Amino acid sequence: MRSIWNGAISFGLVSIPIKLVNATESHSISFRQIHVTDGGRVRYRKVCELDGEEVSSDEIGKGYEEADGSIVPITDEDLAQLPIATAKTIEIVSFVPADQIDPLQMDSAYYLAANGATAAKPYTLLREALKRSRKVAIAKFALRGRERLGMLRVVDDVIAMHGLLWPDEIRAPEGVAPEASVSVREAELDLADALMATLGEVEIDSLHDDYREAVEAMIAAKSGGAFEPSEAVVEPAGGQVIDLMAALENSVRAARASRGGAGAEGGEAEVTPIRRKATAAAAAPKAVGGKKSTAAGARGAAAKKSAAAKSTSKAAAAKSTGKKATSGTKSTASAAAKKTAAAGGAAKKAAPRKRSSA
């Protein structure tokens, strides 16, 4: 691989000659600008504003425009003579744990190659020291006319360097988060966790650029004269109010079905619209972190009221039955008494009176 910068790593009093090599490459398809009418190529021409003449690349230099519009010429020699230690040196300033580096700061990636046989020993020393410490090195270096921040780490048996943005180049995420206060129930979090677990992990090497492949296929078809345009399938626009719980449940079932796991019999996932009318038991959910949601409490209270109402109705029914039973018993006893009295009177009439002897 062709080096883009030669210099040295400054590691305390140790100097390691290195070459800087690009670690990444772009596979994006580039297009040319053409004149739509006749297909002619449209080019940008670099023209001097003073004489109107087109200039070549070797005639173009650098200049700084001041507030009044005047230009101060700057040459490569001027930049090379600046009194900074990082002009041709990657100066390590500290070693920190890798998790202290915010991924937002990461920029371009480079490989650092040992430049010459004498660089092999100190290069290997730094590489092994980084491995054993499980830390990364923070360094400053100058590249393409400006001083930059870098992070050195070990990739396989090579020292790699990630260009880092300066801390003041990271914008604060103001006005990005939702402004409205939103509460999430624990049941929804549980379903989200289940969905994450079902999707599982993926081999990064298995991912590829579908769009680039489609563009390449289209170009090949058009160049061969066999291209037939077809209408793209456009999904309906979002913005509909959905039942989040139903969407999560269907997502879990769909993910399990795609992976051939349990729960695949759930069928095709559908989005269920939220009912607009709120019921008495449906209260606002509690914020994330609570043990029980307000809706669950409302349902519990409703269940208690229902149970109390049932027990009250049962007691009333039992009391009414008791009254009926008591009245029935009294009437039965009265009838029996009357029968007994009638029988006694009949017996007295039938029995003969005994006469006393003189």
Side-chain angles (χ1 to χ4, degrees):
M1 291 185 285
R2 185 176 64 87
S3 63
I4 61 172
W5 184 87
N6 291 341
I9 299 175
S10 175
F11 176 35
L13 297 178
V14 179
S15 181
I16 311 172
I18 56 96
K19 296 184 292 184
L20 197 67
V21 179
N22 278 320
T24 61
E25 59 184 0
S26 174
H27 291 164
S28 298
I29 298 175
S30 59
F31 298 100
R32 302 295 186 186
Q33 290 186 326
I34 62 171
H35 188 197
V36 177
T37 303
D38 54 17
R41 176 82 179 274
V42 176
R43 299 177 181 270
Y44 289 106
R45 300 185 183 276
K46 298 179 180 180
V47 178
C48 176
E49 292 182 351
L50 296 179
D51 56 17
E53 297 290 332
E54 183 178 353
V55 294
S56 59
S57 298
D58 57 355
E59 296 179 289
I60 299 175
K62 300 183 183 70
Y64 177 79
E65 184 177 3
E66 295 188 314
D68 59 358
S70 60
I71 302 294
V72 178
I74 304 295
T75 65
D76 292 337
E77 290 76 14
D78 295 334
L79 297 174
Q81 293 175 1
L82 290 175
I84 57 174
T86 58
K88 279 292 182 180
T89 304
I90 298 174
E91 182 183 1
I92 295 177
V93 295
S94 66
F95 294 87
V96 300
D99 57 6
Q100 288 189 10
I101 305 301
D102 190 340
L104 283 174
Q105 286 187 257
M106 291 190 181
D107 200 359
S108 302
Y110 309 94
Y111 290 135
L112 303 182
N115 192 4
T118 57
K121 182 64 179 286
Y123 183 95
T124 304
L125 173 64
L126 177 59
R127 182 191 67 196
E128 296 304 314
L130 287 171
K131 279 184 180 180
R132 189 167 71 171
S133 67
R134 297 183 180 180
K135 293 183 177 181
V136 297
I138 303 301
K140 295 169 68 177
F141 66 102
L143 181 65
R144 297 190 179 98
R146 54 170 293 200
E147 189 174 51
R148 301 168 185 260
L149 196 62
M151 180 190 75
L152 278 63
R153 69 184 183 98
V154 178
V155 177
D156 296 333
D157 289 332
V158 176
I159 298 176
M161 182 173 69
H162 294 270
L164 298 179
L165 299 174
W166 296 98
D168 59 358
E169 292 179 318
I170 305 296
R171 299 173 62 185
E174 297 176 355
V176 179
E179 295 181 0
S181 178
V182 180
S183 298
V184 180
R185 292 179 292 179
E186 286 193 359
E188 294 169 338
L189 283 174
D190 292 340
L191 278 174
D193 290 341
L195 179 58
M196 292 167 62
T198 304
L199 292 176
E201 299 179 356
V202 65
E203 292 291 337
I204 298 297
D205 295 339
S206 66
L207 302 178
H208 57 279
D209 189 347
D210 294 329
Y211 180 78
R212 178 172 60 87
E213 292 180 357
V215 172
E216 289 175 346
M218 178 195 65
I219 293 173
K222 293 196 76 168
S223 63
F227 176 70
E228 295 182 2
S230 59
E231 293 185 4
V233 178
V234 180
E235 296 292 336
Q240 297 179 352
V241 178
I242 61 172
D243 185 344
L244 184 57
M245 290 291 289
L248 287 169
E249 290 171 353
N250 290 330
S251 299
V252 172
R253 285 198 294 268
R256 287 176 179 171
S258 65
R259 293 179 179 270
E265 67 278 5
E268 186 177 357
E270 296 180 355
V271 176
T272 306
I274 287 180
R275 295 179 179 177
R276 297 291 182 180
K277 295 182 179 180
T279 59
K286 191 176 180 180
V288 178
K291 292 185 178 179
K292 294 183 179 179
S293 65
T294 308
R299 289 195 295 270
K304 289 181 179 179
K305 289 182 178 179
S306 176
K310 287 182 179 179
S311 61
T312 303
S313 60
K314 286 183 179 179
K319 188 174 182 180
S320 175
T321 305
K323 287 181 179 180
K324 290 180 180 179
T326 304
S327 60
T329 303
K330 288 182 178 179
S331 61
T332 304
S334 177
K338 288 180 180 179
K339 287 182 180 180
T340 303
K348 286 181 179 179
K349 289 180 181 181
R353 298 182 177 178
K354 291 184 180 182
R355 296 180 180 178
S356 59
S357 58

